[in-house]
Amino acid sequence: MKKFLIRTASAAVYAVLFIGSMLSGRLLDNPVAGHLILMAFLLFVALGCTFEFYRMVKGQGSRPMQWIGYCFVTAVVLGLGIVALLEADALGLVGGLVLLMTVVTLGFVTVAVVQLWRPSEQPFRDMAYTLLPVLYIALPLGLMPYLNSVNMLLIAVILVWVCDSFAYMGGSLIGRHTMWARHSPGKTWEGTAVGVVCCVLVAIFVGPLFNETPQWYDWLVIGLICAVFGTLGDLVESMLKRSVGVKDSGNIMPGHGGFLDRFDSLLIIIPIVFYYMMFIFD
């Protein structure tokens, strides 16, 4: 009972902070202030995810250039957030892509130059691990303010929660065949199928309450994206944890793990949902 209460309390705090930051513009009746609050929350999460990532890969003997990574992760999250604030109507695609290409290019040059003076048995592995959080963590989190500006971020989060919850219940009740025993032995094909179906149904019937622009078939696609790629995101993070021999990425949330454990699905689906929304609004 004690573990259940701790797990429930930590989940409630996480939900309040995340959803509260998404809705802060409406609550304060100030969209700009709300946008900045969401950016601050996402930057905190991005740095937390990056810290956990570096700590895990260092357990393999890697030596990523952490402070360089933190700087470029910060630049992407804040940069994309500012572009979204200035170009919200057009979703800031051009400005965001230019910013991302610039950061990645400067990041590669910077770590390459610094690595020349660092003793390392595998210099390119250290360089890759230094910059991977920019694409794996900072890019998806940096795109969230874009989706929030068109009322799509909250429904994406809800769809991920629906898929996870019903996949867990379905797997517990009828799960028989393990989906990916090597990386996630508790995940079954039957449970995943239940999660996908429920996620798609919620997307079709609840999605229009958040944004009326997408048609029913668009919501079907968005539901499939959140279900299928959300599951993929969970498996990718499980693969990372098993490769370094850890159960949880961190312990920031008692009973739930770390930042990466909570955001693993969103890190994969957000860029895909973003580009699909660009197609819809084009």
Side-chain angles (χ1 to χ4, degrees):
M1 178 60 71
K2 183 178 179 181
K3 289 184 177 179
F4 173 77
L5 292 176
I6 293 175
R7 182 180 175 88
T8 302
S10 63
V13 171
Y14 159 71
V16 168
L17 290 175
F18 194 13
I19 296 176
S21 65
M22 284 187 271
L23 301 178
S24 57
R26 297 179 185 177
L27 297 175
L28 297 174
D29 195 24
N30 188 328
V32 174
H35 192 96
L36 296 176
I37 290 172
L38 178 60
M39 283 175 55
F41 175 77
L42 294 174
L43 177 60
F44 173 69
V45 172
L47 293 176
C49 288
T50 304
F51 171 79
E52 291 176 352
F53 177 83
Y54 285 151
R55 184 174 60 182
M56 286 191 288
V57 299
K58 283 170 65 179
Q60 289 183 310
S62 301
R63 298 179 62 239
M65 291 160 267
Q66 297 181 67
W67 289 108
I68 294 177
Y70 290 136
C71 289
F72 283 104
V73 165
T74 300
V76 169
V77 173
L78 293 184
L80 289 176
I82 293 171
V83 172
L85 181 63
L86 298 177
E87 303 182 37
D89 292 338
L91 287 178
L93 179 62
V94 175
L97 288 177
V98 170
L99 171 69
L100 181 63
M101 291 173 60
T102 301
V103 169
V104 171
T105 301
L106 290 176
F108 177 78
V109 172
T110 301
V111 298
V113 171
V114 173
Q115 189 63 53
L116 290 174
W117 278 269
R118 295 176 80 237
S120 175
E121 295 181 358
Q122 299 191 41
F124 275 87
R125 181 187 65 177
D126 293 343
M127 291 168 57
Y129 277 147
T130 299
L131 290 177
L132 184 57
V134 174
L135 297 178
Y136 177 43
I137 296 169
L139 172 62
L141 293 175
L143 291 175
M144 286 187 180
Y146 291 97
L147 295 180
N148 197 51
S149 67
V150 291
N151 297 326
M152 286 299 298
L153 179 57
L154 182 56
I155 184 60
V157 172
I158 291 173
L159 292 177
V160 169
W161 288 348
V162 166
C163 185
D164 287 346
S165 299
F166 281 94
Y168 175 79
M169 289 188 286
S172 300
L173 294 173
I174 62 174
R176 296 293 184 273
H177 301 88
T178 302
M179 188 178 197
W180 226 291
R182 187 173 61 168
H183 301 307
S184 187
K187 195 177 294 295
T188 64
W189 285 104
E190 294 85 355
T192 300
V194 171
V196 170
V197 171
C198 292
C199 183
V200 170
L201 290 175
V202 171
I204 293 174
F205 291 104
V206 179
L209 299 178
F210 290 82
N211 191 313
E212 297 179 353
T213 300
Q215 303 297 314
W216 71 267
Y217 47 82
D218 292 318
W219 284 112
L220 186 151
V221 173
I222 292 171
L224 286 173
I225 290 173
C226 291
V228 174
F229 288 94
T231 301
L232 176 62
D234 185 32
L235 289 170
V236 167
E237 203 244 348
S238 295
M239 178 175 63
L240 170 62
K241 291 188 294 185
R242 288 186 175 274
S243 70
V244 297
V246 300
K247 181 179 182 296
D248 296 319
S249 65
N251 56 9
I252 188 68
M253 291 180 61
H256 291 272
F259 288 103
L260 281 172
D261 293 317
R262 292 301 89 205
F263 283 83
D264 52 2
S265 296
L266 289 171
L267 293 180
I268 300 297
I269 71 168
I270 288 299
I272 302 173
V273 172
F274 169 77
Y275 289 116
Y276 189 75
M277 292 304 296
M278 287 297 305
F279 170 76
I280 293 175
F281 287 121
D282 187 13

